[in-house]
Amino acid sequence: MGSLKSSVFLLILHLLEGTLSNSLIQLNNNGYEGIVIAIDPNVPEDEALIQQIKDMVTQASPYLFEATGKRFYFKNVAILIPENWKTKPDYVRPKLETYKNADVLVAEPNPSGNDKPYTEQVGACGEKGERIHFTPDFLAGKKLDQYGPQGRVFVHEWAHLRWGLFNEYNDDQKFYLSKGKREAVRCSAAITGSHAVRKCQGGSCIDKSCRIDKLTGMYEKDCEFIPQRQQTEKASIMFAQSINSVVEFCTEQNHNAEAPNLQNQKCNLRSTWEVIRESEDFKKTTPMTTQPPNPTFSLLQIGERIVCLVLDKSGSMSNDNRLNRMNQAGKLFLLQTVEQGSWVGMVMFDSVAYVQSELRQINSGTDRDALTRSLPTVSAGGTSICSGLRSAFTVIRKKYPTDGAEIVLLTDREDNSISSCFNEVKQSGAIIHTVALGLSAAKELEELSKMTGGLQMFASDQVQNNGLMDAFGALSSGNGALSQRSIQLESKGLTLQNNQWMNGTVIVDSTVGNDTLFLVTWTTQPPQILLWDPSGKIQNGFLVDALTKMAYLQVPGTAKVGTWKYSLQASSQTLTLTVTSRASSATLPPITVTSRVNQDTGKFPNPMRVYANIRQGASPILRASVTALIESANGKTVTLELLDNGAGADATKNDGVYSRYFTAYDANGRYSVKIWALGGINAARAIPQQNGAMYIPGWIENGEIKWNTPQPEISNNTLQDKQVCFSRTSSGGSFVASNVPSAPIPDLFPPCQIIDLKAEIQEGNLINLTWTAPGDDYDQGQAHKYIIRISTSILDLRDNFSVSVQVNTTDLIPKEANSEEVFVFEPENITFENGTDLFIAIQAVDKANLKSEISNIARVSLFIPPQQPSEDTSTPYPNTTTNSTICGIHILKIMWKWIGELQMTLAV
């Protein structure tokens, strides 16, 4: 078998095609433009922070330029300044820049004292990250000894964000055995240092040598690798950019493929430079021959929200009750979703446009009611989308520039002339959110959203799915304070017959409760509506709008915490229930659910990945029950349980991001995504995963260890004891599928890659493997069989998997996807001696003989305890590069042999 590198490269290109990203970053003539660095509104006003951001980027640019072989630099950056900071003449209104699409967020540490810079990453190797996080103290230079200069750290995080690189250190396993020798997890292996343990009690600390476990040969858990302050090795930035000599990324020549770190695990043992080299950025550039200019900065301050609804009233809107459904959703937006203080206008269009309302500031319920009365009541005429957009620009410009203003465009029809206003849209600086209603909405809507950074949504004519309500409910501000944002607690629908009941419950948790709205819609006659609060008291006072066929109750004050019960009764019609609320406190962050898919287009047979990110502030919520409902263009709905198990589509276990592959295509066209999330007794807050710059515990200077200030101690168990109970729904937007064949759909989906293989030695010369079962189609169903192979060379196993020694798996029957698999085997045809390493990988095969990618490679290392083990001293590691491959013997000709009672240690 040839090298797997080429197939992995093709897969990465596959996954990146049509990647869905809110970022405005563009690469133009080697320079990155459109970077948005946002200062969180909760950060106290400090003008020095703006200069510190500028200094960081200015320092980072030449470092990035040299580290990438003169290919990339930072060209311009927008700094987003909170609305609650003082205004200044040089602060201008943002255009497309929002908190939602910010690439970097500067926020107070959470938990307090945790200033670690990090990047949110939910995708695979080579896929762009979500967002970089810095704290004010980090930017102020108060963490230089722990993390190094701010500009260097920014480059480390940029590599996570832009190129999908991973860390080359491992906080959970700082050492491993290689050929019987203890090595620090580092890249390159030429980085020199020592190891020690610092024990502190009662304000005094002592340094000790690291003790060795007599059975495993490994250092004790608290042992730290302490690098020399002065080094000569130039790599690698993804290990420790804080080391003064480190100015490069690891290449094939100096990459430590054996080190058990995320870069090796997720990137198929490839060096960071190999991954960068395979990126679209690299392929679009050539090295520069001159030095790049310094970055330029624009200072943007958030202002009042400006929104104009642009609503289709053409003749086709009379079909399937669309006009009335649009009005119901419009009322939800005007009564609840749009924030107090916003300016809202309204335009409707058919063959021409009509101004229904000039911009009006929402200061009271009177303003909201007045705007709802402007919603169109009659459908007729053709469709001229550009007329509607141009009219909206006119409405906005009567009071404000269109820069940063938002337009919500809804239509159900094609319009051949829509592209005629694309240039005007681009020049306007407005953000356009599009809602495609029904199967025949203009195909260009997604292009309007994409070019302006707006949301793209799709609602079918299946009323019971409540898609139109979900779309308008998702239109909360991208810049407003989180405490003012409308949060959807429930969204359900049902078609009832013969006085049937639609019963259910809604959980109002302690983080929400202000401005709580229960909204019921129907299709023919008003239903019977019963609602009880958590104390069992029935709630009266629903306002009935018979014309629009909806009723709503605004709970006065703060809604009671607990389970609210509802019962709706009707016959021969469809009912929906939508419940929204706002944060109960300006200081207590509400639990939020944000969801999306990894691409805005899906081409069969490439799977989509669905994500739901559940947070309370910066803290992820674990062990929630999360379900995705994916509705296709023909009305079929697929239900997916999303998981946070670190397997299949889920990149990291227990990070609060729940994921799953979607493969159940049934038609070409638009698909909508909706998320239901439910807490309960098993859900809990947790410390966020922080995939970022390495904390350096100390430095060796002049032969002595100088320890840095220790990281704050945070009890994970204490946090996880705080159980939360909540309910949320969230729109994940939409995507467009193509190349879907006619039924029956062929099986072209292999099992997903196993990414969590672990190995350890049991007594009796047995190796115990554990992993999460893949499915027949990625992470759905049940695989047919497993192929397990072993080698004494990690690179040989990767590059020549098909001819490596195969393990007998006759009795290994795959379990259902996402089950825990355990397999114990006794290796054959391999001879171990003390200090030998064994590498193991798995491939899953489905019933159509489609094979998964090769799994991550697990390892076990043979360690025979000495007769009289001696205490280890803290001798520095030699300044040599460890050979990353094991002896190149032909393993098929070697017999398995065991010598006495052997002990091995795990190093994955």
Side-chain angles (χ1 to χ4, degrees):
M1 176 181 177
S3 172
L4 290 178
K5 293 182 182 180
S6 59
S7 61
V8 172
F9 170 57
L10 291 174
L11 173 71
I12 289 174
L13 289 184
H14 230 21
L15 293 174
L16 287 179
E17 184 179 356
T19 297
L20 181 62
S21 173
N22 290 326
S23 177
L24 304 176
I25 296 172
Q26 298 290 329
L27 180 60
N28 184 10
N29 293 327
N30 299 85
Y32 287 108
E33 302 176 331
I35 303 165
V36 178
I37 300 180
I39 302 173
D40 188 84
N42 292 322
V43 172
E45 183 167 355
D46 182 3
E47 278 192 66
L49 185 58
I50 297 173
Q51 186 59 48
Q52 290 159 4
I53 293 172
K54 291 181 178 181
D55 291 343
M56 174 186 70
V57 179
T58 302
Q59 294 163 10
S61 189
Y63 186 65
L64 175 70
F65 184 69
E66 296 299 331
T68 57
K70 304 183 186 301
R71 281 186 180 267
F72 307 117
Y73 69 98
F74 298 120
K75 193 171 186 179
N76 63 57
V77 173
I79 301 176
L80 210 53
I81 298 167
E83 184 180 3
N84 56 3
W85 284 30
K86 293 176 185 175
T87 58
K88 299 228 176 227
D90 53 343
Y91 296 172
V92 299
R93 184 176 176 86
K95 292 186 177 181
L96 307 182
E97 301 87 354
T98 70
Y99 278 96
K100 282 186 178 179
N101 62 28
D103 306 293
V104 181
L105 181 66
V106 180
E108 292 295 319
N110 187 331
S112 179
N114 182 16
D115 291 286
K116 181 182 179 74
Y118 70 98
T119 303
E120 297 176 61
Q121 286 181 273
V122 301
C125 180
E127 293 188 36
K128 292 180 176 66
E130 302 292 296
R131 177 178 290 182
I132 297 169
H133 291 256
F134 294 131
T135 67
D137 277 358
F138 166 78
L139 289 171
K142 297 180 181 179
K143 305 296 174 182
L144 287 174
D145 279 339
Q146 292 93 330
Y147 299 108
Q150 300 93 312
R152 286 178 166 230
V153 174
F154 185 39
V155 172
H156 177 104
E157 301 308 325
W158 183 262
H160 287 306
L161 181 79
R162 187 67 187 178
W163 303 312
L165 304 187
F166 289 88
N167 290 327
E168 293 175 318
Y169 64 90
N170 188 340
D171 278 338
D172 295 326
Q173 182 187 341
K174 297 179 180 178
F175 300 90
Y176 66 104
L177 285 180
S178 177
K179 301 179 183 179
K181 178 183 176 182
R182 288 167 292 277
E183 294 281 2
V185 176
R186 65 207 193 280
C187 193
S188 86
I191 295 293
T192 61
S194 186
H195 42 269
V197 174
R198 168 157 264 210
K199 301 289 186 181
C200 297
Q201 188 174 9
S204 61
C205 299
I206 58 172
D207 298 347
K208 292 184 176 181
S209 299
C210 297
R211 292 180 299 179
I212 299 173
D213 187 299
K214 297 178 181 180
L215 298 179
T216 67
M218 291 294 291
Y219 292 124
E220 61 185 296
K221 181 181 178 181
D222 295 332
C223 185
E224 298 280 4
F225 174 67
I226 315 296
Q228 295 279 355
R229 174 73 81 172
Q230 299 301 320
Q231 305 267 353
T232 58
E233 175 58 33
K234 294 183 177 181
S236 171
I237 289 171
M238 299 313 288
F239 170 65
Q241 76 296 320
S242 53
I243 294 174
N244 61 342
S245 65
V246 169
V247 293
E248 296 176 354
F249 294 95
C250 266
T251 66
E252 300 97 316
Q253 285 70 41
N254 55 16
H255 176 60
N256 182 4
E258 286 192 1
N261 55 40
L262 280 179
Q263 175 65 22
N264 281 327
Q265 180 180 342
K266 291 184 175 294
C267 297
N268 197 29
L269 310 181
R270 291 173 302 150
S271 68
T272 53
W273 187 245
E274 287 176 88
V275 178
I276 294 172
R277 210 167 52 208
E278 293 165 359
S279 70
E280 289 299 312
D281 287 356
F282 193 93
K283 287 182 287 185
K284 290 191 298 186
T285 57
T286 56
M288 295 175 61
T289 57
T290 59
Q291 289 296 308
N294 284 334
T296 60
F297 299 89
S298 54
L299 305 182
L300 313 178
Q301 187 167 34
I302 301 300
E304 295 169 314
R305 188 182 190 192
I306 302 161
V307 188
C308 189
L309 300 180
V310 179
L311 307 176
D312 190 344
K313 63 164 289 292
S314 61
S316 58
M317 288 294 289
S318 62
N319 299 333
D320 297 298
N321 197 33
R322 289 174 186 166
L323 186 72
N324 193 63
R325 290 173 56 217
M326 179 182 73
N327 287 343
Q328 292 170 342
K331 286 194 174 184
L332 172 67
F333 177 78
L334 295 169
L335 292 173
Q336 180 72 5
T337 305
V338 69
E339 298 80 8
Q340 199 82 346
S342 301
W343 291 84
V344 180
M346 190 184 304
V347 170
M348 64 182 182
F349 66 92
D350 44 46
S351 302
V352 295
Y354 313 84
V355 176
Q356 294 293 96
S357 174
E358 302 290 351
L359 286 181
R360 178 170 185 149
Q361 189 170 32
I362 296 179
N363 293 314
S364 66
T366 302
D367 298 311
R368 295 180 184 272
D369 291 337
L371 285 162
T372 62
R373 290 193 293 271
S374 299
L375 290 163
T377 57
V378 178
S379 57
T383 305
S384 177
I385 293 172
C386 284
S387 294
L389 292 174
R390 291 180 179 123
S391 187
F393 294 152
T394 300
V395 167
I396 294 167
R397 286 171 180 149
K398 286 181 180 180
K399 191 164 188 66
Y400 289 102
T402 50
D403 288 347
E406 298 170 74
I407 291 175
V408 179
L409 170 63
L410 179 146
T411 186
D412 72 336
R413 290 185 68 173
E414 294 278 5
D415 178 0
N416 294 331
S417 63
I418 187 173
S419 60
S420 66
C421 59
F422 278 5
N423 284 335
E424 294 171 67
V425 168
K426 291 177 183 177
Q427 294 168 9
S428 72
I431 300 167
I432 300 183
H433 310 294
T434 58
V435 182
L437 178 56
L439 301 182
S440 301
K443 302 297 187 292
E444 297 87 351
L445 290 180
E446 283 78 10
E447 193 169 347
L448 281 170
S449 291
K450 193 169 184 178
M451 73 172 67
T452 64
L455 302 176
Q456 60 181 57
M457 291 166 286
F458 161 63
S460 74
D461 290 319
Q462 303 296 315
V463 180
Q464 69 276 11
N465 291 335
N466 213 24
L468 207 48
M469 286 292 195
D470 295 335
F472 276 75
L475 294 169
S476 59
S477 172
N479 290 325
L482 191 57
S483 60
Q484 296 301 311
R485 197 170 299 170
S486 178
I487 296 171
Q488 195 163 277
L489 308 185
E490 183 61 285
S491 170
K492 283 189 176 179
L494 191 64
T495 300
L496 303 177
Q497 305 291 339
N498 301 322
N499 290 319
Q500 288 179 313
W501 290 89
M502 174 177 159
N503 301 315
T505 60
V506 180
I507 299 171
V508 176
D509 59 274
S510 61
T511 70
V512 294
N514 283 345
D515 200 18
T516 302
L517 179 79
F518 286 79
L519 188 150
V520 177
T521 73
W522 56 88
T523 53
T524 56
Q525 298 293 325
Q528 182 178 358
I529 303 173
L530 299 174
L531 177 67
W532 296 269
D533 72 12
S535 68
K537 181 180 178 182
I538 195 164
Q539 300 295 297
N540 298 311
F542 273 85
L543 297 177
V544 177
D545 181 346
L547 181 63
T548 314
K549 298 177 181 176
M550 60 188 289
Y552 55 91
L553 171 68
Q554 198 88 42
V555 178
T558 303
K560 289 183 179 179
V561 173
T563 302
W564 292 63
K565 298 178 182 179
Y566 62 86
S567 290
L568 312 177
Q569 187 184 42
S571 294
S572 302
Q573 63 172 319
T574 300
L575 307 182
T576 73
L577 172 72
T578 306
V579 183
T580 62
S581 189
R582 284 185 164 83
S584 58
S585 166
T587 57
L588 177 67
I591 294 170
T592 58
V593 176
T594 55
S595 51
R596 67 174 183 88
V597 289
N598 68 310
Q599 301 173 93
D600 52 19
T601 57
K603 187 176 182 181
F604 183 89
N606 300 324
M608 302 294 293
R609 290 200 301 277
V610 184
Y611 301 113
N613 192 345
I614 308 182
R615 288 281 188 277
Q616 184 182 9
S619 299
I621 301 293
L622 306 185
R623 298 189 295 278
S625 174
V626 185
T627 303
L629 283 81
I630 302 171
E631 183 185 2
S632 69
N634 65 11
K636 179 183 175 182
T637 299
V638 173
T639 300
L640 279 179
E641 180 188 6
L642 304 188
L643 302 172
D644 187 15
N645 62 352
D650 192 60
T652 306
K653 185 175 182 178
N654 291 337
D655 65 346
V657 179
Y658 298 74
S659 317
R660 201 74 180 270
Y661 284 108
F662 170 76
T663 60
Y665 296 100
D666 70 325
N668 291 311
R670 295 182 172 103
Y671 287 66
S672 67
V673 180
K674 175 178 180 174
I675 301 296
W676 280 338
L678 185 66
I681 59 173
N682 290 324
R685 300 177 185 89
I687 298 172
Q689 295 282 333
Q690 297 188 335
N691 191 28
M694 180 170 68
Y695 164 82
I696 301 293
W699 298 94
I700 297 176
E701 297 184 46
N702 300 320
E704 295 184 2
I705 296 177
K706 293 187 177 180
W707 294 92
N708 288 326
T709 303
Q711 298 183 87
E713 292 187 10
I714 303 165
S715 173
N716 214 22
N717 292 330
T718 301
L719 287 172
Q720 291 184 356
D721 287 339
K722 296 179 180 178
Q723 314 243 320
V724 290
C725 189
F726 66 93
S727 62
R728 297 286 188 275
T729 64
S730 170
S731 170
S734 65
F735 63 91
V736 179
S738 63
N739 207 38
V740 180
S742 302
I745 306 294
D747 181 3
L748 299 179
F749 298 109
C752 64
Q753 182 189 27
I754 295 166
I755 59 176
D756 61 348
L757 177 65
K758 295 179 175 61
E760 63 181 3
I761 295 299
Q762 293 183 339
E763 293 183 7
N765 305 340
L766 300 176
I767 295 178
N768 183 76
L769 300 180
T770 60
W771 68 94
T772 301
D776 179 82
D777 297 337
Y778 285 88
D779 54 8
Q780 317 283 322
Q782 186 174 348
H784 176 62
K785 66 178 181 179
Y786 293 117
I787 299 171
I788 301 177
R789 296 184 184 273
I790 58 178
S791 175
T792 54
S793 166
I794 190 169
L795 294 179
D796 190 55
L797 182 62
R798 180 193 70 176
D799 296 336
N800 300 290
F801 179 81
S802 64
V803 296
S804 297
V805 173
Q806 185 168 352
V807 175
N808 186 346
T809 57
T810 303
D811 299 327
L812 177 56
I813 307 299
K815 295 180 181 179
E816 195 71 22
N818 298 298
S819 303
E820 182 184 9
E821 295 276 27
V822 179
F823 180 65
V824 180
F825 71 98
E826 183 174 354
E828 299 176 354
N829 301 325
I830 296 284
T831 298
F832 267 167
E833 296 177 352
N834 193 21
T836 302
D837 306 313
L838 182 66
F839 302 95
I840 308 151
I842 301 182
Q843 192 174 46
V845 185
D846 71 7
K847 59 181 179 292
N849 205 35
L850 298 172
K851 296 179 180 179
S852 72
E853 294 179 71
I854 309 304
S855 71
N856 67 293
I857 297 178
R859 75 186 278 163
V860 287
S861 299
L862 177 62
F863 173 73
I864 302 175
Q867 294 296 322
Q868 294 180 341
S870 58
E871 283 292 316
D872 182 69
T873 60
S874 296
T875 304
Y877 285 95
N879 189 12
T880 57
T881 302
T882 302
N883 189 352
S884 62
T885 59
I886 310 301
C887 52
I889 52 179
H890 197 289
I891 54 180
L892 290 174
K893 297 181 180 179
I894 301 176
M895 300 298 293
W896 175 264
K897 183 173 71 174
W898 291 90
I899 305 173
E901 182 179 356
L902 305 181
Q903 300 290 338
M904 297 185 184
T905 186
L906 164 67
V908 180

